[in-house]
Amino acid sequence: MPHRFPERTARPRRYLMCRPTYFTVEYAINPWMDPSKPTDTTLAVRQWERLRALYEELGHTVELIEPQPGLPDMVYTANGATVLDGRVLVATFRHAERAGESAAHQDWFRSCGYREVRRAEHVNEGEGDHLLVGRRVLAGSGFRTDPAAHAEARAVFGLPVLGLELVDPRFYHLDTALAVLADDQVMYYPAAFTPDSQALLRSLYPDAILAERADAEVFGLNAVSDGRRVLLPEAAKSLAARLVDAGYEPVPVDLSELFKGGGGPKCCTLELRPA
Ligand code: ARG
């Protein structure tokens, strides 16, 4: 039987994660967070451990940054930096509640021997808003990352950086509305973007998988792909079926506790790309 799609190839990855030892929802900086609702830190840790184990079972390497008391969102390492070609642009957070995470990340990268480590001058929430597709960076703005940070990223990494503007506060980071599946393919929720950004995405990725609202609302787009296997929230059922149709292997994960902070698998995962 002829293949409808080329064989999807997985590439081993290196990820930075942070155990949610101090995870809780004690402030609200996105519409998903409700400090009056209880959280279960033990369950959060258990779900996170499963995610970490999955990466290792799939052949990836996981590095860990030490969690810090008083920084409950530190589990969302995707926001701590952007790391491309071994260069590190450390995040500058929009909200004071997360500001302390910048120094933690900067220290971690320096102590691990990364030589080009610099703190972003403009508000820049790392891979939450900077997604690498092939040799092009898609960069979100609208809620967190300042558009001025896109030019800084272009200068630091020497790669084309294309801005995409988000419009729905529930999809406040680019990685809640768009996921990179392969070097030339993405999936996204069109209604999260301005009409101009939707047009840009259509022209860049005519074959993209377009997610429906129900899948986007369970953070189905907060997914991590290694080129073939795609880890995504288990509630994103129809998106998983679409991935199968496109030749990918969906790997459902349950991160219900970390969802209460407004994050999913991708938020908990920062890709470390060596020089
Ligand atoms: N509570 C965190 C915040 O609002 C969640 C961050 C989720 N991370 C992500 N990459 N989307 O900043």
Side-chain angles (χ1 to χ4, degrees), residues 66-142:
E66 198 57 39
Q68 289 189 16
L71 295 175
D73 275 338
M74 207 174 151
V75 60
Y76 305 112
T77 51
N79 303 131
T82 307
V83 188
L84 301 180
D85 300 327
R87 296 188 190 132
V88 183
L89 187 53
V90 174
T92 293
F93 287 86
R94 166 81 50 197
H95 300 100
E97 291 88 341
R98 299 195 68 183
E101 296 179 41
S102 293
H105 278 89
Q106 183 160 316
D107 293 349
W108 188 87
F109 283 103
R110 292 234 163 99
S111 70
C112 288
Y114 285 78
R115 271 182 301 184
E116 279 185 59
V117 180
R118 66 168 90 183
R119 181 92 62 103
E121 272 173 38
H122 303 278
V123 171
N124 172 332
E125 296 205 352
E127 270 207 350
D129 277 320
H130 295 83
L131 296 173
L132 183 72
V133 198
R135 292 297 286 167
R136 168 194 287 154
V137 179
L138 300 182
S141 67

Side-chain angles (χ1 to χ4, degrees), residues 223-238:
V224 181
S225 171
D226 65 12
R228 184 157 62 97
R229 286 84 51 104
V230 183
L231 280 75
L232 81 172
E234 62 180 10
K237 299 264 189 265
S238 73

